[in-house]
């Protein structure tokens, strides 16, 4: 049988070979530069009168007093200390060294160094790098939090009590963009109430948005999006928000029925029907969340199930995550397993809710009688091994969650948008699901005993994963703009201190020690310095 055709990388052109040769020789030139400089100075020692200059410098040094050396070493210690403080603050805020960033981004191109991982004439490596970058970008996509709270009834109440804003400007701006995408269409300008609401969603001030919503209701009393805005931002209690959402539902259902009959008439009618569908789905979902918060959990489950049955193609809005949380509150674990069997599929995107709920169900089967000492003596049973593997799988997907479930880190109100596998998703999950883990006896104990074992099978999480793609390195920067400044963002994997922080810390300590010694023993240090310069 004939062999298949071999793929051969294209050979570099003569110009490319010459450029590669010059780049390789450039490194040797830098190594030979000090030797060439010494030879040049030795050759010009007579014209430059280096010996006379050295004698003059030595004589000048001999005239210096110990106070000069104290001032010199003290100033050096102060400058290096300031650099250390700046480097530390920059590292805490951005997770990297400022000097290292400048060196890589600005100085490295000047000396002609190649970027790491870039080889000339390597087609296949560049293709793999592109695939990896595309995967990284997709994993760093920001998603709307399926369990996001209500602005007026929950987020604003927190602000009134604590004086701190739980939402960042970036997060609220993303919500404004979502609202414009969900609740507006090209034909809004033909209807005065929808035209007002189109401007309302773009307003930055909450007061202006509420004022515009009332203006839209004056134009048309059945404006569903106006009721939605008032329920989200003006209502100060969940009951009041539910009442406004019920009015939005009545208006949204009538608009949906009208547009459903006209959707095939033109592209504009189809866009309007799509907008009315979004309004109806959003309203029903928020009504289900209101019922859940007010204790009517079975009613909330029914609304969610009906919604998923009526609009099966809208799985991207993750209504099943709301359903899972409500079923866990009912302790309907068989129903939870049925939902997981449908959505915990290899072809569907994962989330912390999916992975950790699956781990909770498997932990529930063994956690009540689990003892680490007994398991160490006799080994793990099959059920215990399955539970541990499920926990490892969940921790690999989002390693930030266990610290919140085990109450090693304090919870804050979750943002309106989350980054999958990031700290924001971990907060959103633990905020609602911590009570479900506490309810299962021994589940948190099993998690505490096993979750750190995940990191032994992931020695290089940024380069290679075990069950999932490598952990994306962009989560820290994205979470910092999603989460408020008073929250300490969880970072994974933990970053070592950059070399320049160690270097400046050592330099600061060394110069400070020299300044202290010179101040305490001026004669001895003066003799030491003069002896060294005389030797040179």
């Amino acid at each position: 049988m004939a062999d298949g055709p071999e793929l051969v990388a294209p050979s570099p052109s003569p110009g490319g070979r010459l450029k590669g040769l010059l780049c390789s020789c450039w490194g040797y030139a830098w190594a030979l530069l000090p030797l060439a400089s010494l030879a040049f100075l030795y050759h010009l020692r007579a014209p430059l009168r280096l010996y006379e200059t050295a004698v003059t410098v030595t004589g000048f040094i001999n005239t210096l007093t110990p106070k000069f050396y104290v001032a010199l070493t003290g100033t050096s210690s102060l400058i290096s200390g300031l650099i250390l403080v700046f480097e530390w603050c920059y590292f805490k805020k951005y997770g990297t060294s400022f000097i290292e960033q400048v060196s890589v981004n600005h100085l490295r191109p000047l000396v002609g160094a190649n970027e790491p991982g870039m080889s000339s004439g390597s087609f296949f490596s560049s293709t793999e790098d592109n695939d990896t970058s595309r995967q990284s970008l997709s994993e760093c996509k920001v998603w709307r939090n399926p369990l996001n709270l209500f602005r007026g009834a929950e987020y604003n109440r927190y602000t009134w009590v604590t004086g701190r804003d739980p939402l960042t400007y970036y997060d609220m701006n993303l919500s404004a963009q979502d609202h414009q995408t969900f609740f507006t269409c090209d034909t809004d300008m033909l209807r005065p109430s929808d035209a007002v609401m189109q401007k309302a969603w773009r307003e930055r001030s909450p007061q202006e948005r509420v004022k515009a919503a009332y203006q839209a209701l004056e134009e048309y009393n059945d404006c569903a999006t106006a009721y939605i805005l008032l329920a989200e931002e003006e209502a100060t209690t969940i009951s009041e928000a539910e009442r406004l959402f019920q009015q939005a539902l009545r208006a949204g259902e009538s608009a949906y029925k009208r547009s459903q009959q006209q959707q095939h008439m033109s592209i504009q009618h189809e866009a309007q029907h799509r907008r009315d569908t979004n309004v109806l789905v959003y309203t029903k979902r928020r009504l289900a969340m209101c019922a859940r918060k007010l204790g009517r959990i079975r009613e909330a489950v029914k609304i969610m199930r009906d919604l998923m049955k009526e609009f099966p193609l809208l799985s991207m809005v993750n209504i099943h995550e709301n359903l899972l949380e409500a079923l866990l509150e009912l302790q309907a674990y068989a129903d939870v397993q049925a939902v997981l069997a449908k959505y915990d599929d290899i072809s569907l995107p994962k989330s912390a809710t999916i992975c950790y709920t699956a781990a909770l169900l498997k932990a529930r089967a063994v956690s009540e009688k689990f003892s680490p000492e007994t398991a160490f003596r006799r080994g793990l049973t099959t059920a215990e091994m399955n539970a541990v593997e499920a926990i490892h799988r969940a921790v690999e997907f989002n390693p930030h969650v266990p610290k919140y479930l085990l109450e090693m880190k304090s919870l804050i109100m979750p943002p309106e948008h989350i980054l999958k596998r990031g700290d924001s998703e971990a907060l959103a999950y633990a905020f609602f699901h911590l009570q479900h883990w506490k309810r299962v006896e021994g589940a948190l104990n099993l998690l505490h005993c096993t979750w750190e074992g995940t990191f032994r099978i992931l020695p290089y999480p940024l380069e290679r994963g075990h069950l999932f793609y490598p952990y994306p390195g962009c989560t820290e920067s994205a979470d910092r703009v999603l989460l408020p400044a008073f929250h300490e963002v969880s970072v994974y994997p933990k970053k070592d201190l950059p070399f320049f922080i160690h270097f400046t810390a050592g330099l600061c300590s060394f110069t400070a020690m020299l300044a202290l010694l010179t101040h305490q023993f001026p004669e001895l240090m003066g003799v030491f310095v003069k002896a060294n310069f005389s030797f040179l």
Side-chain angles (χ1 to χ4, degrees), residues 12-38:
S13 62
R17 286 196 295 268
L18 178 60
K19 183 178 179 181
L21 181 62
L22 291 175
C23 289
S24 61
C25 293
W26 187 251
Y28 296 105
W30 276 104
L32 295 174
L33 183 61
L35 296 176
S37 301
L38 290 175

PDB file of all heavy atoms in Angstrom, residues 12-38:
ATOM      1  N   PRO A  12      12.704  28.098   3.614  1.00  0.00           N
ATOM      2  CA  PRO A  12      12.844  29.554   3.658  1.00  0.00           C
ATOM      3  C   PRO A  12      13.585  30.076   2.445  1.00  0.00           C
ATOM      4  O   PRO A  12      14.423  29.390   1.856  1.00  0.00           O
ATOM      5  CB  PRO A  12      13.632  29.773   4.953  1.00  0.00           C
ATOM      6  CG  PRO A  12      14.345  28.488   5.209  1.00  0.00           C
ATOM      7  CD  PRO A  12      13.473  27.418   4.664  1.00  0.00           C
ATOM      8  N   SER A  13      13.289  31.296   2.089  1.00  0.00           N
ATOM      9  CA  SER A  13      13.942  31.936   0.948  1.00  0.00           C
ATOM     10  C   SER A  13      15.369  32.317   1.307  1.00  0.00           C
ATOM     11  O   SER A  13      15.746  32.335   2.482  1.00  0.00           O
ATOM     12  CB  SER A  13      13.147  33.186   0.563  1.00  0.00           C
ATOM     13  OG  SER A  13      13.153  34.100   1.630  1.00  0.00           O
ATOM     14  N   PRO A  14      16.234  32.628   0.282  1.00  0.00           N
ATOM     15  CA  PRO A  14      17.607  33.051   0.591  1.00  0.00           C
ATOM     16  C   PRO A  14      17.649  34.258   1.514  1.00  0.00           C
ATOM     17  O   PRO A  14      18.490  34.339   2.413  1.00  0.00           O
ATOM     18  CB  PRO A  14      18.186  33.369  -0.800  1.00  0.00           C
ATOM     19  CG  PRO A  14      17.381  32.531  -1.732  1.00  0.00           C
ATOM     20  CD  PRO A  14      16.017  32.466  -1.161  1.00  0.00           C
ATOM     21  N   GLY A  15      16.731  35.204   1.321  1.00  0.00           N
ATOM     22  CA  GLY A  15      16.687  36.359   2.218  1.00  0.00           C
ATOM     23  C   GLY A  15      16.359  35.964   3.640  1.00  0.00           C
ATOM     24  O   GLY A  15      16.927  36.492   4.600  1.00  0.00           O
ATOM     25  N   GLY A  16      15.456  34.992   3.779  1.00  0.00           N
ATOM     26  CA  GLY A  16      15.109  34.522   5.113  1.00  0.00           C
ATOM     27  C   GLY A  16      16.264  33.812   5.789  1.00  0.00           C
ATOM     28  O   GLY A  16      16.487  33.950   6.988  1.00  0.00           O
ATOM     29  N   ARG A  17      17.030  32.991   4.962  1.00  0.00           N
ATOM     30  CA  ARG A  17      18.190  32.309   5.545  1.00  0.00           C
ATOM     31  C   ARG A  17      19.242  33.311   6.007  1.00  0.00           C
ATOM     32  O   ARG A  17      19.868  33.153   7.051  1.00  0.00           O
ATOM     33  CB  ARG A  17      18.784  31.350   4.509  1.00  0.00           C
ATOM     34  CG  ARG A  17      17.957  30.091   4.299  1.00  0.00           C
ATOM     35  CD  ARG A  17      18.770  29.022   3.590  1.00  0.00           C
ATOM     36  NE  ARG A  17      19.127  29.437   2.231  1.00  0.00           N
ATOM     37  CZ  ARG A  17      18.394  29.167   1.155  1.00  0.00           C
ATOM     38  NH1 ARG A  17      17.273  28.476   1.298  1.00  0.00           N
ATOM     39  NH2 ARG A  17      18.767  29.569  -0.040  1.00  0.00           N
ATOM     40  N   LEU A  18      19.451  34.387   5.188  1.00  0.00           N
ATOM     41  CA  LEU A  18      20.427  35.407   5.565  1.00  0.00           C
ATOM     42  C   LEU A  18      20.002  36.120   6.848  1.00  0.00           C
ATOM     43  O   LEU A  18      20.825  36.366   7.741  1.00  0.00           O
ATOM     44  CB  LEU A  18      20.582  36.415   4.416  1.00  0.00           C
ATOM     45  CG  LEU A  18      21.550  37.583   4.669  1.00  0.00           C
ATOM     46  CD1 LEU A  18      22.961  37.046   4.934  1.00  0.00           C
ATOM     47  CD2 LEU A  18      21.546  38.546   3.486  1.00  0.00           C
ATOM     48  N   LYS A  19      18.692  36.423   6.945  1.00  0.00           N
ATOM     49  CA  LYS A  19      18.193  37.091   8.147  1.00  0.00           C
ATOM     50  C   LYS A  19      18.348  36.198   9.375  1.00  0.00           C
ATOM     51  O   LYS A  19      18.744  36.647  10.452  1.00  0.00           O
ATOM     52  CB  LYS A  19      16.725  37.469   7.955  1.00  0.00           C
ATOM     53  CG  LYS A  19      16.140  38.241   9.128  1.00  0.00           C
ATOM     54  CD  LYS A  19      14.694  38.621   8.838  1.00  0.00           C
ATOM     55  CE  LYS A  19      14.105  39.376  10.025  1.00  0.00           C
ATOM     56  NZ  LYS A  19      12.689  39.747   9.780  1.00  0.00           N
ATOM     57  N   GLY A  20      18.070  34.886   9.207  1.00  0.00           N
ATOM     58  CA  GLY A  20      18.237  33.962  10.320  1.00  0.00           C
ATOM     59  C   GLY A  20      19.690  33.842  10.747  1.00  0.00           C
ATOM     60  O   GLY A  20      19.996  33.752  11.937  1.00  0.00           O
ATOM     61  N   LEU A  21      20.619  33.843   9.750  1.00  0.00           N
ATOM     62  CA  LEU A  21      22.040  33.776  10.075  1.00  0.00           C
ATOM     63  C   LEU A  21      22.498  35.006  10.851  1.00  0.00           C
ATOM     64  O   LEU A  21      23.234  34.911  11.829  1.00  0.00           O
ATOM     65  CB  LEU A  21      22.848  33.618   8.785  1.00  0.00           C
ATOM     66  CG  LEU A  21      24.373  33.516   8.935  1.00  0.00           C
ATOM     67  CD1 LEU A  21      24.727  32.277   9.747  1.00  0.00           C
ATOM     68  CD2 LEU A  21      25.040  33.482   7.565  1.00  0.00           C
ATOM     69  N   LEU A  22      22.016  36.194  10.406  1.00  0.00           N
ATOM     70  CA  LEU A  22      22.385  37.427  11.102  1.00  0.00           C
ATOM     71  C   LEU A  22      21.843  37.440  12.528  1.00  0.00           C
ATOM     72  O   LEU A  22      22.519  37.882  13.461  1.00  0.00           O
ATOM     73  CB  LEU A  22      21.874  38.640  10.320  1.00  0.00           C
ATOM     74  CG  LEU A  22      22.572  38.908   8.965  1.00  0.00           C
ATOM     75  CD1 LEU A  22      21.886  40.065   8.240  1.00  0.00           C
ATOM     76  CD2 LEU A  22      24.049  39.223   9.174  1.00  0.00           C
ATOM     77  N   CYS A  23      20.600  36.963  12.708  1.00  0.00           N
ATOM     78  CA  CYS A  23      20.007  36.944  14.045  1.00  0.00           C
ATOM     79  C   CYS A  23      20.775  36.007  14.979  1.00  0.00           C
ATOM     80  O   CYS A  23      20.974  36.300  16.161  1.00  0.00           O
ATOM     81  CB  CYS A  23      18.535  36.525  13.969  1.00  0.00           C
ATOM     82  SG  CYS A  23      17.471  37.780  13.221  1.00  0.00           S
ATOM     83  N   SER A  24      21.225  34.840  14.431  1.00  0.00           N
ATOM     84  CA  SER A  24      21.976  33.914  15.271  1.00  0.00           C
ATOM     85  C   SER A  24      23.358  34.459  15.619  1.00  0.00           C
ATOM     86  O   SER A  24      23.864  34.245  16.719  1.00  0.00           O
ATOM     87  CB  SER A  24      22.107  32.563  14.565  1.00  0.00           C
ATOM     88  OG  SER A  24      22.808  32.718  13.331  1.00  0.00           O
ATOM     89  N   CYS A  25      23.979  35.191  14.665  1.00  0.00           N
ATOM     90  CA  CYS A  25      25.289  35.780  14.932  1.00  0.00           C
ATOM     91  C   CYS A  25      25.209  36.951  15.898  1.00  0.00           C
ATOM     92  O   CYS A  25      26.185  37.285  16.573  1.00  0.00           O
ATOM     93  CB  CYS A  25      25.945  36.229  13.617  1.00  0.00           C
ATOM     94  SG  CYS A  25      26.383  34.867  12.521  1.00  0.00           S
ATOM     95  N   TRP A  26      24.023  37.591  15.969  1.00  0.00           N
ATOM     96  CA  TRP A  26      23.866  38.764  16.835  1.00  0.00           C
ATOM     97  C   TRP A  26      24.078  38.413  18.302  1.00  0.00           C
ATOM     98  O   TRP A  26      24.655  39.176  19.078  1.00  0.00           O
ATOM     99  CB  TRP A  26      22.481  39.355  16.606  1.00  0.00           C
ATOM    100  CG  TRP A  26      22.258  40.668  17.303  1.00  0.00           C
ATOM    101  CD1 TRP A  26      21.458  40.882  18.378  1.00  0.00           C
ATOM    102  CD2 TRP A  26      22.836  41.935  16.990  1.00  0.00           C
ATOM    103  NE1 TRP A  26      21.487  42.192  18.745  1.00  0.00           N
ATOM    104  CE2 TRP A  26      22.344  42.878  17.904  1.00  0.00           C
ATOM    105  CE3 TRP A  26      23.729  42.358  16.006  1.00  0.00           C
ATOM    106  CZ2 TRP A  26      22.697  44.213  17.877  1.00  0.00           C
ATOM    107  CZ3 TRP A  26      24.088  43.691  15.979  1.00  0.00           C
ATOM    108  CH2 TRP A  26      23.584  44.606  16.906  1.00  0.00           C
ATOM    109  N   GLY A  27      23.631  37.211  18.694  1.00  0.00           N
ATOM    110  CA  GLY A  27      23.822  36.789  20.075  1.00  0.00           C
ATOM    111  C   GLY A  27      25.295  36.627  20.425  1.00  0.00           C
ATOM    112  O   GLY A  27      25.739  37.025  21.507  1.00  0.00           O
ATOM    113  N   TYR A  28      26.072  36.037  19.505  1.00  0.00           N
ATOM    114  CA  TYR A  28      27.514  35.902  19.758  1.00  0.00           C
ATOM    115  C   TYR A  28      28.191  37.270  19.800  1.00  0.00           C
ATOM    116  O   TYR A  28      29.161  37.478  20.539  1.00  0.00           O
ATOM    117  CB  TYR A  28      28.159  35.034  18.670  1.00  0.00           C
ATOM    118  CG  TYR A  28      27.657  33.607  18.670  1.00  0.00           C
ATOM    119  CD1 TYR A  28      26.767  33.154  17.698  1.00  0.00           C
ATOM    120  CD2 TYR A  28      28.057  32.708  19.660  1.00  0.00           C
ATOM    121  CE1 TYR A  28      26.299  31.846  17.700  1.00  0.00           C
ATOM    122  CE2 TYR A  28      27.600  31.392  19.668  1.00  0.00           C
ATOM    123  CZ  TYR A  28      26.722  30.976  18.689  1.00  0.00           C
ATOM    124  OH  TYR A  28      26.260  29.687  18.700  1.00  0.00           O
ATOM    125  N   ALA A  29      27.710  38.216  18.993  1.00  0.00           N
ATOM    126  CA  ALA A  29      28.301  39.558  18.998  1.00  0.00           C
ATOM    127  C   ALA A  29      28.136  40.227  20.371  1.00  0.00           C
ATOM    128  O   ALA A  29      29.051  40.885  20.872  1.00  0.00           O
ATOM    129  CB  ALA A  29      27.663  40.410  17.907  1.00  0.00           C
ATOM    130  N   TRP A  30      26.975  40.051  20.986  1.00  0.00           N
ATOM    131  CA  TRP A  30      26.768  40.606  22.323  1.00  0.00           C
ATOM    132  C   TRP A  30      27.705  39.970  23.341  1.00  0.00           C
ATOM    133  O   TRP A  30      28.183  40.619  24.273  1.00  0.00           O
ATOM    134  CB  TRP A  30      25.318  40.393  22.755  1.00  0.00           C
ATOM    135  CG  TRP A  30      24.397  41.445  22.241  1.00  0.00           C
ATOM    136  CD1 TRP A  30      23.521  41.329  21.214  1.00  0.00           C
ATOM    137  CD2 TRP A  30      24.267  42.782  22.716  1.00  0.00           C
ATOM    138  NE1 TRP A  30      22.846  42.500  21.011  1.00  0.00           N
ATOM    139  CE2 TRP A  30      23.283  43.424  21.924  1.00  0.00           C
ATOM    140  CE3 TRP A  30      24.878  43.518  23.722  1.00  0.00           C
ATOM    141  CZ2 TRP A  30      22.905  44.741  22.105  1.00  0.00           C
ATOM    142  CZ3 TRP A  30      24.497  44.836  23.903  1.00  0.00           C
ATOM    143  CH2 TRP A  30      23.530  45.433  23.108  1.00  0.00           C
ATOM    144  N   ALA A  31      27.986  38.678  23.180  1.00  0.00           N
ATOM    145  CA  ALA A  31      28.891  38.000  24.116  1.00  0.00           C
ATOM    146  C   ALA A  31      30.331  38.491  23.961  1.00  0.00           C
ATOM    147  O   ALA A  31      31.090  38.573  24.939  1.00  0.00           O
ATOM    148  CB  ALA A  31      28.827  36.490  23.891  1.00  0.00           C
ATOM    149  N   LEU A  32      30.720  38.830  22.728  1.00  0.00           N
ATOM    150  CA  LEU A  32      32.093  39.285  22.476  1.00  0.00           C
ATOM    151  C   LEU A  32      32.282  40.772  22.727  1.00  0.00           C
ATOM    152  O   LEU A  32      33.423  41.262  22.714  1.00  0.00           O
ATOM    153  CB  LEU A  32      32.487  38.956  21.027  1.00  0.00           C
ATOM    154  CG  LEU A  32      32.569  37.458  20.674  1.00  0.00           C
ATOM    155  CD1 LEU A  32      32.816  37.292  19.181  1.00  0.00           C
ATOM    156  CD2 LEU A  32      33.663  36.777  21.481  1.00  0.00           C
ATOM    157  N   LEU A  33      31.195  41.505  22.918  1.00  0.00           N
ATOM    158  CA  LEU A  33      31.293  42.954  23.085  1.00  0.00           C
ATOM    159  C   LEU A  33      32.158  43.365  24.282  1.00  0.00           C
ATOM    160  O   LEU A  33      32.998  44.268  24.149  1.00  0.00           O
ATOM    161  CB  LEU A  33      29.890  43.552  23.197  1.00  0.00           C
ATOM    162  CG  LEU A  33      29.814  45.073  23.303  1.00  0.00           C
ATOM    163  CD1 LEU A  33      30.421  45.724  22.057  1.00  0.00           C
ATOM    164  CD2 LEU A  33      28.370  45.527  23.494  1.00  0.00           C
ATOM    165  N   PRO A  34      32.012  42.754  25.477  1.00  0.00           N
ATOM    166  CA  PRO A  34      32.882  43.168  26.596  1.00  0.00           C
ATOM    167  C   PRO A  34      34.370  42.945  26.316  1.00  0.00           C
ATOM    168  O   PRO A  34      35.202  43.788  26.653  1.00  0.00           O
ATOM    169  CB  PRO A  34      32.398  42.283  27.753  1.00  0.00           C
ATOM    170  CG  PRO A  34      31.007  41.914  27.397  1.00  0.00           C
ATOM    171  CD  PRO A  34      31.002  41.783  25.917  1.00  0.00           C
ATOM    172  N   LEU A  35      34.702  41.812  25.686  1.00  0.00           N
ATOM    173  CA  LEU A  35      36.105  41.547  25.372  1.00  0.00           C
ATOM    174  C   LEU A  35      36.653  42.561  24.383  1.00  0.00           C
ATOM    175  O   LEU A  35      37.791  43.054  24.525  1.00  0.00           O
ATOM    176  CB  LEU A  35      36.250  40.131  24.809  1.00  0.00           C
ATOM    177  CG  LEU A  35      35.895  38.975  25.775  1.00  0.00           C
ATOM    178  CD1 LEU A  35      35.991  37.642  25.063  1.00  0.00           C
ATOM    179  CD2 LEU A  35      36.815  39.015  26.988  1.00  0.00           C
ATOM    180  N   ALA A  36      35.812  42.908  23.383  1.00  0.00           N
ATOM    181  CA  ALA A  36      36.255  43.903  22.405  1.00  0.00           C
ATOM    182  C   ALA A  36      36.447  45.271  23.057  1.00  0.00           C
ATOM    183  O   ALA A  36      37.382  46.012  22.709  1.00  0.00           O
ATOM    184  CB  ALA A  36      35.236  43.984  21.269  1.00  0.00           C
ATOM    185  N   SER A  37      35.579  45.611  24.013  1.00  0.00           N
ATOM    186  CA  SER A  37      35.695  46.900  24.697  1.00  0.00           C
ATOM    187  C   SER A  37      36.980  46.970  25.515  1.00  0.00           C
ATOM    188  O   SER A  37      37.683  47.984  25.510  1.00  0.00           O
ATOM    189  CB  SER A  37      34.483  47.121  25.606  1.00  0.00           C
ATOM    190  OG  SER A  37      33.297  47.089  24.857  1.00  0.00           O
ATOM    191  N   LEU A  38      37.310  45.872  26.228  1.00  0.00           N
ATOM    192  CA  LEU A  38      38.543  45.851  27.011  1.00  0.00           C
ATOM    193  C   LEU A  38      39.784  45.966  26.115  1.00  0.00           C
ATOM    194  O   LEU A  38      40.749  46.682  26.430  1.00  0.00           O
ATOM    195  CB  LEU A  38      38.608  44.565  27.833  1.00  0.00           C
ATOM    196  CG  LEU A  38      37.606  44.454  28.996  1.00  0.00           C
ATOM    197  CD1 LEU A  38      37.685  43.083  29.648  1.00  0.00           C
ATOM    198  CD2 LEU A  38      37.852  45.550  30.025  1.00  0.00           C
TER     199      LEU A  38
END
